[in-house]
């Protein structure tokens, strides 16, 4: 049996000792280590480089850095990378969203697992999502979305006016609109663009002519999107906030902003509060809870109706 040379054993011993020092949070200085191991500083540097490669391949959540403030090397937690449980959670959420066709979804999953998960754990993560990848059902629109998402996102960020051709569900099917894009949102399998309309007759086009909120477009139904050489003003005090808007809208159905009140007698109040982020419990008795929420009408009404006898409208 080959036991290796004394030089091999010496290097292995140095690597183990250096690895232990790094894991214990100690500072590694080349002159000290060279004296301790009776080798040159160049040999210590090679050892540190070998350990750098080891951490990069096996434990990417950690990396060896040179800290000038202490004039030595130390181990740093790499918070820019996802750990195993985080990458598994992201993959599961993406698969459940069914938001993209296979041609876009599967490469994203593969790159996430390859880049962010240590090699020894990749197989486990791949097995945990493997069945869902095989049986993944893509959205029926069959449209690639990522190029459009980026172009629209740039228009939102730069406050650029755009012209779109949009396929509606009602007649006329295809309409042209000049819009001020203000946000991208996701809900129930689809990405949406929120935008304010320019040059439109609210009397004929809007159910609520006094609607002050943006119009919502499903991005997969946008047949063409052209950015114009024109910008629109966004006053800071009146700016559109996607987060606040999202709290009040269900199924991406617009409508009048209103406050509703209802009695809930179902088994999970938590599910109601999670579904309606603006909801608050007004009172409680043996039968159930009185809940109040600020919502945009149609979508919230659809969800409340789906709860059957568990929900009774109070106001």
């Amino acid at each position: 049996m080959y036991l290796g040379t004394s030089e091999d054993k010496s290097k292995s011993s140095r690597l183990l000792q250096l690895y232990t020092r790094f894991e214990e949070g100690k500072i590694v200085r080349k002159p000290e280590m060279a004296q301790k191991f009776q080798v040159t500083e160049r040999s210590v540097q090679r050892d540190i480089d070998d350990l750098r490669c080891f951490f990069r391949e096996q434990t990417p959540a950690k990396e060896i850095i040179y800290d000038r403030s202490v004039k030595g090397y130390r181990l740093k937690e790499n918070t820019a990378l996802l750990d195993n449980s985080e990458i598994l959670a992201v993959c599961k959420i993406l698969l459940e969203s069914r938001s993209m066709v296979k041609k876009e979804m599967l490469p994203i999953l593969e790159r996430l697992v390859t880049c962010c998960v240590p090699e020894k754990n990749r197989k486990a993560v791949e097995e945990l999502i493997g069945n869902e990848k095989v049986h993944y059902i893509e959205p029926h629109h069959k449209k690639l979305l990522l190029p459009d998402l980026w172009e629209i996102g740039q228009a939102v960020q730069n406050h650029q006016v755009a012209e779109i051709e949009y396929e509606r569900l009602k007649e006329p099917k295809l309409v042209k609109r000049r819009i001020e894009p203000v946000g991208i949102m996701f809900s129930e399998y689809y990405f949406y663009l929120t935008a304010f309309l320019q040059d439109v007759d609210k009397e004929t086009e809007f159910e609520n002519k006094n609607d002050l909120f943006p119009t919502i477009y499903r991005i997969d139904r946008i047949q063409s999107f052209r950015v114009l050489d024109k910008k629109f003003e966004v006053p800071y005090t009146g700016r559109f906030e996607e987060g606040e808007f999202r709290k009040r809208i269900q199924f991406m159905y617009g409508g009048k902003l209103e406050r509703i009140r209802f009695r809930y007698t179902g088994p999970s109040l938590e599910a109601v509060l999670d579904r309606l982020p603006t909801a608050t419990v007004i009172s409680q008795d043996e039968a159930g809870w009185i809940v109040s929420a600020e919502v945009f009408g149609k979508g919230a009404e659809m969800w409340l109706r789906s709860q059957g006898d568990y929900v009774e409208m109070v106001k």
Side-chain angles (χ1 to χ4, degrees):
M1 179 184 294
Y2 176 68
L3 297 177
T5 65
S6 59
E7 184 178 348
D8 291 334
K9 294 176 183 177
S10 176
K11 182 175 178 64
S12 298
S13 176
R14 294 199 310 268
L15 287 172
L16 287 171
Q17 291 186 61
L18 288 172
Y19 175 84
T20 301
R21 289 183 70 88
F22 280 124
E23 284 288 5
E24 290 175 349
K26 295 178 180 178
I27 304 300
V28 172
R29 298 181 178 89
K30 287 194 293 185
E32 294 176 6
M33 294 300 102
Q35 185 175 4
K36 174 180 174 65
F37 298 133
Q38 295 296 295
V39 295
T40 65
E41 290 188 23
R42 184 175 293 181
S43 294
V44 175
Q45 183 64 60
R46 285 196 292 266
D47 294 341
I48 291 172
D49 290 340
D50 289 342
L51 287 173
R52 265 183 171 154
C53 291
F54 172 80
F55 279 110
R56 189 179 300 119
E57 293 175 3
Q58 302 297 324
T59 316
K62 299 177 180 179
E63 63 175 331
I64 295 173
I65 64 166
Y66 182 76
D67 190 336
R68 292 182 181 278
S69 64
V70 294
K71 297 181 180 179
Y73 293 87
R74 64 180 177 85
L75 196 61
K76 176 188 174 185
E77 294 287 335
N78 192 348
T79 56
L81 296 177
L82 301 175
D83 63 25
N84 296 332
S85 58
E86 289 170 336
I87 199 66
L88 177 60
V90 171
C91 289
K92 288 287 187 179
I93 291 169
L94 281 172
L95 284 163
E96 183 62 26
S97 75
R98 289 179 50 209
S99 56
M100 290 171 275
V101 295
K102 287 182 179 180
K103 190 175 180 179
E104 290 183 328
M105 177 67 78
L106 298 187
I108 290 174
L109 296 172
E110 288 168 6
R111 284 196 290 270
L112 279 170
V113 174
T114 300
C115 295
C116 300
V117 180
E119 187 174 358
K120 64 180 181 180
N121 294 321
R122 287 177 193 168
K123 186 176 179 181
V125 174
E126 286 168 351
E127 288 178 355
L128 287 167
I129 65 173
N131 188 260
E132 288 176 272
K133 284 173 64 178
V134 171
H135 297 286
Y136 180 73
I137 300 175
E138 58 187 8
H140 288 285
H141 58 69
K142 308 290 184 184
K143 186 175 179 181
L144 297 174
L145 295 175
L146 296 181
D148 290 342
L149 278 179
W150 181 250
E151 185 180 11
I152 293 170
Q154 291 296 290
V156 171
Q157 186 177 40
N158 298 323
H159 305 152
Q160 292 176 285
V161 177
E163 283 186 347
I164 64 171
E165 286 186 317
Y166 186 72
E167 183 183 1
R168 304 198 306 181
L169 290 176
K170 59 183 180 180
E171 297 296 338
K173 285 286 187 180
L174 195 64
V175 295
K176 290 186 178 181
R177 294 285 188 262
R178 179 171 290 198
I179 61 170
E180 298 174 359
V182 293
I184 294 175
M185 304 173 71
F186 177 81
S187 178
E188 278 84 29
Y189 314 114
Y190 304 116
F191 288 96
Y192 294 86
L193 165 64
T194 53
F196 291 100
L197 293 173
Q198 289 188 346
D199 306 325
V200 67
D201 184 357
K202 289 189 175 183
E203 294 283 350
T204 58
E205 296 289 342
F206 280 38
E207 292 183 19
N208 174 18
K209 64 181 180 180
N210 297 316
D211 192 351
L212 300 176
F213 297 94
T215 302
I216 302 168
Y217 299 97
R218 246 177 64 181
I219 289 179
D220 60 278
R221 288 190 186 149
I222 296 176
Q223 301 303 310
S224 68
F225 184 91
R226 184 168 70 92
V227 176
L228 305 181
D229 188 21
K230 181 181 178 182
K231 293 196 173 187
F232 58 93
E233 295 294 325
V234 184
Y236 181 79
T237 54
R239 74 192 189 285
F240 173 72
E241 296 183 90
E242 292 155 286
E244 290 300 318
F245 186 67
R246 189 68 186 87
K247 289 179 186 177
R248 293 162 174 80
I249 193 165
Q250 300 294 319
F251 306 118
M252 300 310 288
Y253 275 87
K256 192 167 57 175
L257 184 64
E258 58 187 354
R259 182 163 291 279
I260 60 172
R261 185 173 295 186
F262 58 92
R263 176 183 292 276
Y264 178 72
T265 57
S268 177
L269 175 66
E270 185 180 84
V272 175
L273 299 179
D274 286 338
R275 186 76 209 196
L276 304 173
T278 61
T280 55
V281 176
I282 303 301
S283 63
Q284 178 183 1
D285 56 30
E286 294 181 359
W289 301 267
I290 299 295
V291 180
S292 175
E294 189 178 61
V295 299
F296 288 95
K298 289 185 177 180
E301 182 182 345
M302 289 173 58
W303 185 79
L304 290 170
R305 285 180 178 176
S306 72
Q307 303 308 298
D309 294 338
Y310 289 147
V311 170
E312 175 190 354
M313 297 303 297
V314 176
K315 181 181 179 183

